[in-house]
Amino acid sequence: MALDGLAAGLIGISASIAIGATAIAAAVAEKSIGTAAIGALVEKEESFGKGLILTVIPETLVIFGLVVAILLINLIGAH
Amino acid sequence: MLKTQEMSKVFMVIPKDRFEKTVDTLYKLKVFHIIEHTKTDEYDIGSPILGTDILSDIQVRIRSIASQLKINLQEDIQDPLYSGFVNEIPTQIIKLHNEVSDIIKDIKKCEDKKRSLNQELKVLETLDLFTDSAEIFKKSSHIVYRFGMIHDLDEDALILENEHELKTIEGQPHILIFAKKKDEKHLDEILGSYKFKSFEIEKYASDKRKLIRKELEQNLSQTNEDILQCKNQLVLLSKMWKRKLQTFNTIVSEKLEKYNLPLSMGITKHSYFIKAYVPTDILYKVKHQLFIATDRKIIFKIENLHHSDNVPVKLKNPAVVNSFEFFLKLFALPKYGEIDPTMFIFLSFPFFFGFILGDAGYGIISFLIFWFLKKKMPQYAKFFNILLLSSISSIIFGYIFGEFFGGADVFGLFTLTVYFNRELQMIALLVIAIAMGFIHVNWGLIVGFTNELRSHGLKKAIYTKGSWWLLQISVTLIALSYLGMIKAPVTIGYALMAISAVMLFLGEGIIGIIEIPGIFTNFLSYGRLMAVGASSVGLAVVINQLTSQVMTGSISGYIIGTLIFILGHTINLLLGCMGSFLHSLRLHYIEFFTKFYHGGGTEYKPFGTKLEG
């Protein structure tokens, strides 16, 4: 069954929300962690590795968003 | 490789009369990682050798001189030409320090003089703006005048009993005011309330103003010359003393390190005792050398290592691979006896980096840039080695993906074969990326299993690491049963999952249960290998499209097009390299290391190698 234009459009919007919202969420989380990590780094330079790890942890959110977005976009192609 | 250097703990008793020879040998051998002795009721710590305070003073003076003469003391230089002057170091350094201090004082004096001369000239210059007449400043018993700087003067508030004259110049904070002698006190009060800064101009109120100015200018130029001369003296001293000072610094630092060694030792009435870690493979060689140096007068005993010992870690990896030790030092060194993962990072890091960047053009350019930077900054050679290998990997993946600056076309010379199109086969790329994650994470679990097996035995290894494999199998079974791809009932999958959860609880406690979904998010996290790469390709394609749209045949079009091409690809290359580096690193630190790595080892720092500059 072919999707009509409206359905395809809504799926497209959903995909963009999936990736956009997760990107914002990751950014908000990374902002706080990054600030704290820089603070720790000033005190103790050796904590760079741990600081980096903590800062990039929320990035996975965007990857989830991307996977969901790809699966959604795939729906348009599949029908 | 995979194993850190095996260490032995030694205990030495050194008679006081053999102390110097022993310390000299320990310093020369540079293999003893000293264990600090803690004071006990029975054995106190030793005191520094006599003369340490003088040497410390000399070291401070050397550093002060080096800073004034801009000499770099970081390098461990020992010029044989100056090494013979050991006994003369204190006298020579004190003499040089006094000489340099005198020159610095002279410079400061000259600079103060220069500042005051400039100020006087400035006053004169401003005064000239008001009047060049000397007549009006002639001494009078009826009239007084004030000249100086004032801010926000309200002229209406300047009400005096008698007549007065105020001269101002627009845009200047200076004023010149004449008033009757009777009003002098009142005038000063009003001006004082505006924070008036008065300049003495008595001496300029004569016909000799021009002469005074000339004298001031001559004086200023002489002062400038004096400053230059002093600075030249410093440069000359710097040239004369560079090697000598560096050599003296090396000698003094070495002596200080030796003189302070008793602080790490225990002391008895007739001897010192010390504990240290030594690499096992050279243990007997260094023991022999110590015996020769001390005529076998010391006691050298090998002690058993205990579980609670904080044994230092020395990584041993072959050349090229050891460049990747950088990542461990950045994160945390492995604990003694733990598997050293440098080799694993060597295998997977460039692979991930290349997979993400995946462009032959970018790979070639980044290779050239990193090669150039490696030559320019040899102290960071190991770091650039990592990036050079990663660039080679990018070129290989660029060849597979058929990408050269975002397209398959190589400057119109030939076209690359596209074996895998990252733009069009995104889903396939995502699946490959997650599959790579599956392999990488399980590789980490295998290493973790080996680590646990070595340190805690088979049972613990099965509970903490084997349970994760059972969990993966159970989820696969559940999925396949639901999808109808196998005929087994779905309950088998659930039963296995429950068993794995119990095993995890037994192995890692409640944390293990909480982290159950974590392993699957770990797999998904490798999706970034596709995502970051795809965004880089997307940008490159957009840059190429823009370039071809602008290049319409006109000369200006070609210029703008070339600019867009160069600028766009430069930015994309920078972003690509940074993204590839950080994301690859993250996959190692978070997804890979958490499966097996404990870290927290102490770096092996043998006595005689830490020369502070």
Side-chain angles (χ1 to χ4, degrees), chain B residues 432-450:
Chain B
I432 292 172
I434 293 173
M436 272 157 58
F438 174 78
I439 295 168
H440 204 222
V441 168
N442 278 297
W443 177 4
L445 283 174
I446 293 170
V447 183
F449 188 86
T450 321

PDB file of all heavy atoms in Angstrom, chain B residues 432-450:
ATOM      1  N   ILE B 432      26.460  -2.713   9.403  1.00  0.00           N
ATOM      2  CA  ILE B 432      27.892  -3.064   9.509  1.00  0.00           C
ATOM      3  C   ILE B 432      28.481  -2.436  10.774  1.00  0.00           C
ATOM      4  O   ILE B 432      29.220  -3.080  11.523  1.00  0.00           O
ATOM      5  CB  ILE B 432      28.666  -2.583   8.257  1.00  0.00           C
ATOM      6  CG1 ILE B 432      28.221  -3.389   7.036  1.00  0.00           C
ATOM      7  CG2 ILE B 432      30.175  -2.717   8.454  1.00  0.00           C
ATOM      8  CD1 ILE B 432      28.769  -2.883   5.724  1.00  0.00           C
ATOM      9  N   ALA B 433      28.125  -1.155  11.017  1.00  0.00           N
ATOM     10  CA  ALA B 433      28.665  -0.449  12.186  1.00  0.00           C
ATOM     11  C   ALA B 433      28.264  -1.151  13.478  1.00  0.00           C
ATOM     12  O   ALA B 433      29.097  -1.372  14.362  1.00  0.00           O
ATOM     13  CB  ALA B 433      28.169   0.992  12.197  1.00  0.00           C
ATOM     14  N   ILE B 434      26.985  -1.531  13.565  1.00  0.00           N
ATOM     15  CA  ILE B 434      26.518  -2.194  14.797  1.00  0.00           C
ATOM     16  C   ILE B 434      27.150  -3.589  14.925  1.00  0.00           C
ATOM     17  O   ILE B 434      27.498  -4.026  16.030  1.00  0.00           O
ATOM     18  CB  ILE B 434      24.970  -2.237  14.837  1.00  0.00           C
ATOM     19  CG1 ILE B 434      24.462  -0.789  14.988  1.00  0.00           C
ATOM     20  CG2 ILE B 434      24.458  -3.094  15.994  1.00  0.00           C
ATOM     21  CD1 ILE B 434      22.981  -0.613  14.889  1.00  0.00           C
ATOM     22  N   ALA B 435      27.351  -4.240  13.775  1.00  0.00           N
ATOM     23  CA  ALA B 435      28.016  -5.553  13.808  1.00  0.00           C
ATOM     24  C   ALA B 435      29.443  -5.396  14.327  1.00  0.00           C
ATOM     25  O   ALA B 435      29.937  -6.223  15.104  1.00  0.00           O
ATOM     26  CB  ALA B 435      28.029  -6.157  12.413  1.00  0.00           C
ATOM     27  N   MET B 436      30.090  -4.306  13.900  1.00  0.00           N
ATOM     28  CA  MET B 436      31.442  -4.038  14.396  1.00  0.00           C
ATOM     29  C   MET B 436      31.413  -3.820  15.908  1.00  0.00           C
ATOM     30  O   MET B 436      32.315  -4.253  16.636  1.00  0.00           O
ATOM     31  CB  MET B 436      32.034  -2.810  13.682  1.00  0.00           C
ATOM     32  CG  MET B 436      32.752  -3.200  12.396  1.00  0.00           C
ATOM     33  SD  MET B 436      32.901  -1.898  11.184  1.00  0.00           S
ATOM     34  CE  MET B 436      33.736  -0.667  12.037  1.00  0.00           C
ATOM     35  N   GLY B 437      30.355  -3.163  16.361  1.00  0.00           N
ATOM     36  CA  GLY B 437      30.175  -2.940  17.790  1.00  0.00           C
ATOM     37  C   GLY B 437      30.027  -4.256  18.528  1.00  0.00           C
ATOM     38  O   GLY B 437      30.622  -4.464  19.583  1.00  0.00           O
ATOM     39  N   PHE B 438      29.244  -5.154  17.923  1.00  0.00           N
ATOM     40  CA  PHE B 438      29.017  -6.469  18.524  1.00  0.00           C
ATOM     41  C   PHE B 438      30.357  -7.202  18.702  1.00  0.00           C
ATOM     42  O   PHE B 438      30.654  -7.750  19.766  1.00  0.00           O
ATOM     43  CB  PHE B 438      28.058  -7.265  17.613  1.00  0.00           C
ATOM     44  CG  PHE B 438      27.848  -8.667  18.036  1.00  0.00           C
ATOM     45  CD1 PHE B 438      26.994  -8.967  19.097  1.00  0.00           C
ATOM     46  CD2 PHE B 438      28.505  -9.710  17.393  1.00  0.00           C
ATOM     47  CE1 PHE B 438      26.804 -10.279  19.498  1.00  0.00           C
ATOM     48  CE2 PHE B 438      28.314 -11.020  17.791  1.00  0.00           C
ATOM     49  CZ  PHE B 438      27.469 -11.310  18.847  1.00  0.00           C
ATOM     50  N   ILE B 439      31.162  -7.143  17.637  1.00  0.00           N
ATOM     51  CA  ILE B 439      32.473  -7.819  17.697  1.00  0.00           C
ATOM     52  C   ILE B 439      33.363  -7.143  18.752  1.00  0.00           C
ATOM     53  O   ILE B 439      33.983  -7.795  19.588  1.00  0.00           O
ATOM     54  CB  ILE B 439      33.160  -7.778  16.306  1.00  0.00           C
ATOM     55  CG1 ILE B 439      32.345  -8.601  15.308  1.00  0.00           C
ATOM     56  CG2 ILE B 439      34.603  -8.293  16.381  1.00  0.00           C
ATOM     57  CD1 ILE B 439      32.754  -8.402  13.867  1.00  0.00           C
ATOM     58  N   HIS B 440      33.402  -5.797  18.726  1.00  0.00           N
ATOM     59  CA  HIS B 440      34.300  -5.056  19.616  1.00  0.00           C
ATOM     60  C   HIS B 440      33.935  -5.269  21.080  1.00  0.00           C
ATOM     61  O   HIS B 440      34.807  -5.519  21.913  1.00  0.00           O
ATOM     62  CB  HIS B 440      34.248  -3.561  19.251  1.00  0.00           C
ATOM     63  CG  HIS B 440      35.470  -2.794  19.659  1.00  0.00           C
ATOM     64  ND1 HIS B 440      35.409  -1.555  20.208  1.00  0.00           N
ATOM     65  CD2 HIS B 440      36.786  -3.104  19.599  1.00  0.00           C
ATOM     66  CE1 HIS B 440      36.640  -1.130  20.463  1.00  0.00           C
ATOM     67  NE2 HIS B 440      37.494  -2.043  20.088  1.00  0.00           N
ATOM     68  N   VAL B 441      32.630  -5.176  21.375  1.00  0.00           N
ATOM     69  CA  VAL B 441      32.188  -5.335  22.767  1.00  0.00           C
ATOM     70  C   VAL B 441      32.476  -6.758  23.254  1.00  0.00           C
ATOM     71  O   VAL B 441      32.970  -6.961  24.369  1.00  0.00           O
ATOM     72  CB  VAL B 441      30.689  -4.984  22.906  1.00  0.00           C
ATOM     73  CG1 VAL B 441      30.145  -5.407  24.257  1.00  0.00           C
ATOM     74  CG2 VAL B 441      30.485  -3.482  22.717  1.00  0.00           C
ATOM     75  N   ASN B 442      32.215  -7.743  22.384  1.00  0.00           N
ATOM     76  CA  ASN B 442      32.473  -9.131  22.800  1.00  0.00           C
ATOM     77  C   ASN B 442      33.961  -9.414  22.922  1.00  0.00           C
ATOM     78  O   ASN B 442      34.378 -10.224  23.759  1.00  0.00           O
ATOM     79  CB  ASN B 442      31.807 -10.108  21.831  1.00  0.00           C
ATOM     80  CG  ASN B 442      30.338 -10.259  22.177  1.00  0.00           C
ATOM     81  OD1 ASN B 442      29.995 -10.731  23.267  1.00  0.00           O
ATOM     82  ND2 ASN B 442      29.473  -9.793  21.301  1.00  0.00           N
ATOM     83  N   TRP B 443      34.730  -8.743  22.103  1.00  0.00           N
ATOM     84  CA  TRP B 443      36.191  -8.824  22.219  1.00  0.00           C
ATOM     85  C   TRP B 443      36.586  -8.315  23.622  1.00  0.00           C
ATOM     86  O   TRP B 443      37.380  -8.950  24.327  1.00  0.00           O
ATOM     87  CB  TRP B 443      36.778  -7.955  21.108  1.00  0.00           C
ATOM     88  CG  TRP B 443      38.264  -7.812  21.052  1.00  0.00           C
ATOM     89  CD1 TRP B 443      39.184  -8.421  21.843  1.00  0.00           C
ATOM     90  CD2 TRP B 443      38.981  -6.972  20.137  1.00  0.00           C
ATOM     91  NE1 TRP B 443      40.437  -8.016  21.481  1.00  0.00           N
ATOM     92  CE2 TRP B 443      40.354  -7.144  20.435  1.00  0.00           C
ATOM     93  CE3 TRP B 443      38.620  -6.117  19.113  1.00  0.00           C
ATOM     94  CZ2 TRP B 443      41.343  -6.461  19.740  1.00  0.00           C
ATOM     95  CZ3 TRP B 443      39.606  -5.443  18.422  1.00  0.00           C
ATOM     96  CH2 TRP B 443      40.942  -5.613  18.721  1.00  0.00           C
ATOM     97  N   GLY B 444      35.983  -7.219  24.040  1.00  0.00           N
ATOM     98  CA  GLY B 444      36.240  -6.671  25.383  1.00  0.00           C
ATOM     99  C   GLY B 444      35.841  -7.676  26.458  1.00  0.00           C
ATOM    100  O   GLY B 444      36.542  -7.855  27.450  1.00  0.00           O
ATOM    101  N   LEU B 445      34.712  -8.358  26.233  1.00  0.00           N
ATOM    102  CA  LEU B 445      34.247  -9.346  27.220  1.00  0.00           C
ATOM    103  C   LEU B 445      35.217 -10.528  27.314  1.00  0.00           C
ATOM    104  O   LEU B 445      35.461 -11.053  28.398  1.00  0.00           O
ATOM    105  CB  LEU B 445      32.849  -9.846  26.835  1.00  0.00           C
ATOM    106  CG  LEU B 445      31.694  -8.874  27.143  1.00  0.00           C
ATOM    107  CD1 LEU B 445      30.387  -9.410  26.588  1.00  0.00           C
ATOM    108  CD2 LEU B 445      31.558  -8.664  28.653  1.00  0.00           C
ATOM    109  N   ILE B 446      35.772 -10.924  26.153  1.00  0.00           N
ATOM    110  CA  ILE B 446      36.747 -12.039  26.160  1.00  0.00           C
ATOM    111  C   ILE B 446      37.979 -11.644  26.989  1.00  0.00           C
ATOM    112  O   ILE B 446      38.457 -12.401  27.825  1.00  0.00           O
ATOM    113  CB  ILE B 446      37.162 -12.420  24.713  1.00  0.00           C
ATOM    114  CG1 ILE B 446      35.971 -13.011  23.962  1.00  0.00           C
ATOM    115  CG2 ILE B 446      38.334 -13.408  24.719  1.00  0.00           C
ATOM    116  CD1 ILE B 446      36.188 -13.209  22.480  1.00  0.00           C
ATOM    117  N   VAL B 447      38.439 -10.395  26.755  1.00  0.00           N
ATOM    118  CA  VAL B 447      39.606  -9.913  27.518  1.00  0.00           C
ATOM    119  C   VAL B 447      39.256  -9.860  29.005  1.00  0.00           C
ATOM    120  O   VAL B 447      40.045 -10.259  29.860  1.00  0.00           O
ATOM    121  CB  VAL B 447      40.056  -8.517  27.018  1.00  0.00           C
ATOM    122  CG1 VAL B 447      41.293  -8.073  27.773  1.00  0.00           C
ATOM    123  CG2 VAL B 447      40.332  -8.535  25.523  1.00  0.00           C
ATOM    124  N   GLY B 448      38.040  -9.377  29.293  1.00  0.00           N
ATOM    125  CA  GLY B 448      37.584  -9.277  30.680  1.00  0.00           C
ATOM    126  C   GLY B 448      37.537 -10.654  31.331  1.00  0.00           C
ATOM    127  O   GLY B 448      37.929 -10.834  32.486  1.00  0.00           O
ATOM    128  N   PHE B 449      37.057 -11.648  30.555  1.00  0.00           N
ATOM    129  CA  PHE B 449      36.976 -13.028  31.048  1.00  0.00           C
ATOM    130  C   PHE B 449      38.375 -13.522  31.425  1.00  0.00           C
ATOM    131  O   PHE B 449      38.585 -14.095  32.495  1.00  0.00           O
ATOM    132  CB  PHE B 449      36.358 -13.915  29.956  1.00  0.00           C
ATOM    133  CG  PHE B 449      36.045 -15.296  30.404  1.00  0.00           C
ATOM    134  CD1 PHE B 449      34.836 -15.597  31.015  1.00  0.00           C
ATOM    135  CD2 PHE B 449      36.978 -16.316  30.225  1.00  0.00           C
ATOM    136  CE1 PHE B 449      34.555 -16.881  31.437  1.00  0.00           C
ATOM    137  CE2 PHE B 449      36.701 -17.600  30.653  1.00  0.00           C
ATOM    138  CZ  PHE B 449      35.486 -17.884  31.255  1.00  0.00           C
ATOM    139  N   THR B 450      39.344 -13.241  30.513  1.00  0.00           N
ATOM    140  CA  THR B 450      40.730 -13.674  30.770  1.00  0.00           C
ATOM    141  C   THR B 450      41.276 -12.991  32.025  1.00  0.00           C
ATOM    142  O   THR B 450      41.934 -13.642  32.845  1.00  0.00           O
ATOM    143  CB  THR B 450      41.623 -13.297  29.561  1.00  0.00           C
ATOM    144  OG1 THR B 450      40.882 -13.523  28.374  1.00  0.00           O
ATOM    145  CG2 THR B 450      42.895 -14.098  29.525  1.00  0.00           C
TER     146      THR B 450
END
